Amino acid sequence: MDYKALHRFADVGPRKIRLFADLIRGKNVDEALQLLRFYPNRSAKLLLAVVQSAYGNADDRECPDPDGLIVSECRVDGAPMFKRIQPRARGTAFQIKRRMSHIHVTLSDPPEEAGSVPARGEVAAVAAPEPAPTA
């Protein structure tokens, strides 16, 4: 079963948070919490709060093994921007964009070993075709 949490309109740009989202994607929830806890970045603290919320949702919905969950999805999307104008020389204006982001975290049970689908980047073991006999 999947346990989700999301933080909408986070006051940090998505590029800054995606660094940490890539870091914890696919990891065990305890390992992800330990990784994020010791980074001094504001982005890591925001992502830590969302992972803790998803973990709390799993605990609230009486997950049989909350410590065995993995971070199956950790996605950061762009949100609306605040657009401001900065006056510049000779009557021109520069645009200032205050970017925001939406953080989505999904925790799920680890995949079964017997019928698991290969992860991204892995190649499934496929037998090479036999060469055609030449006569």
Side-chain angles (χ1 to χ4, degrees), residues 28-115:
N28 187 331
V29 67
D30 291 331
E31 186 179 349
L33 289 172
Q34 285 297 324
L35 282 172
L36 293 173
R37 188 169 289 134
F38 294 107
Y39 275 100
N41 303 57
R42 184 165 176 234
S43 304
K45 301 212 183 314
L46 286 171
L47 193 58
L48 174 68
V50 180
V51 173
Q52 285 176 338
S53 177
Y55 185 74
N57 291 341
D59 194 33
D60 185 54
R61 294 187 183 170
E62 298 174 357
C63 175
D65 184 23
D67 292 328
L69 296 174
I70 61 168
V71 181
S72 60
E73 179 188 20
C74 189
R75 180 169 46 102
V76 181
D77 298 330
M81 293 179 263
F82 286 127
K83 294 181 181 174
R84 301 287 185 263
I85 298 297
Q86 174 72 39
R88 301 301 287 186
R90 293 192 283 168
T92 61
F94 284 177
Q95 193 174 41
I96 297 173
K97 296 178 182 177
R98 275 292 297 258
R99 298 180 191 271
M100 293 186 289
S101 54
H102 300 312
I103 307 170
H104 303 266
V105 173
T106 303
L107 304 179
S108 62
D109 298 321
E112 301 339 337
E113 294 298 324

Side-chain angles (χ1 to χ4, degrees), residues 9-40:
F9 305 104
D11 199 19
V12 175
R15 285 180 64 182
K16 295 178 182 180
I17 302 176
R18 280 190 192 119
L19 296 171
F20 297 102
D22 294 339
L23 181 71
I24 66 167
R25 191 177 298 120
K27 296 205 184 310
N28 187 331
V29 67
D30 291 331
E31 186 179 349
L33 289 172
Q34 285 297 324
L35 282 172
L36 293 173
R37 188 169 289 134
F38 294 107
Y39 275 100

